[in-house]
Amino acid sequence: MSNALHLSVPEGLPFIDYEREFDHPVAEVFRAHADPDLFARWIGPRGLSTRVERYECRSGGTFRFIQHGDDGVEYAFRGVFHTVRPAELVLQTFEYEGYPDVVTLESMRFEDLPGGRCRLTGRSVYPSLEARERYLADGMEGGITEGYERLDELLAEQVPAT
């Protein structure tokens, strides 16, 4: 079963909402977001590899990771985990270092669904409408879609969370 990404881009407002369901329990989906080794295996579009420099998925923790493709170009990202409640909520900042001073506030909520499934809802709030449009023009939706497809593939091969 394929679960589509639903993206909402309200006109004239500097945020994006998204929703995606997974055919796996919330504990497994959250673990793939919180464990740096698992996170590195699915985040981002196909064709990019991820190297995690720091990833402390806990309230007050920080992260920095670098993605690169076959062309050798690197894309670095960093942020701070403000609030992390396991299998429930991640509230964090997010910055692509190629767009210095454009820091987004991101929330992700994890929700149990019947049948051992999970719904992830998120909101990304940008400092300006122009910043949001820049991310969209750079292929943000495709990157999220492919990243979640990769997450589906990873979860299908993982041993269930204990």
Side-chain angles (χ1 to χ4, degrees), residues 21-140:
E21 292 184 4
F22 295 89
D23 297 332
H24 297 273
V26 69
E28 292 180 27
V29 174
F30 179 81
R31 184 175 65 148
H33 281 76
D35 180 300
D37 294 329
L38 296 176
F39 180 79
R41 293 176 58 187
W42 67 265
I43 190 69
R46 296 185 189 283
L48 293 182
S49 298
T50 300
R51 181 179 77 249
V52 173
E53 283 190 355
R54 180 179 60 258
Y55 199 84
E56 308 158 322
C57 189
R58 58 175 171 74
S59 297
T62 62
F63 68 88
R64 184 171 192 270
F65 63 91
I66 298 103
Q67 295 183 315
H68 63 89
D70 292 338
D71 61 3
V73 176
E74 292 191 338
Y75 309 92
F77 304 86
R78 64 183 174 161
V80 176
F81 293 104
H82 185 273
T83 303
V84 176
R85 290 196 296 263
E88 181 186 344
L89 172 73
V90 175
L91 180 61
Q92 67 183 52
T93 62
F94 183 87
E95 180 180 17
Y96 167 50
E97 293 178 10
Y99 299 159
D101 304 327
V102 177
V103 179
T104 63
L105 178 62
E106 301 196 335
S107 64
M108 292 177 280
R109 293 187 182 278
F110 301 80
E111 176 187 356
D112 269 323
L113 295 175
R117 301 182 71 243
C118 169
R119 178 181 299 125
L120 173 64
T121 56
R123 173 171 282 185
S124 298
V125 181
Y126 298 84
S128 68
L129 190 57
E130 294 76 23
R132 181 192 78 171
E133 296 303 313
R134 189 175 185 184
Y135 271 90
L136 286 168
D138 284 351
M140 172 189 173

Side-chain angles (χ1 to χ4, degrees), residues 138-151:
D138 284 351
M140 172 189 173
E141 184 175 3
I144 294 173
T145 297
E146 289 183 13
Y148 285 156
E149 289 171 355
R150 295 171 70 188
L151 177 54

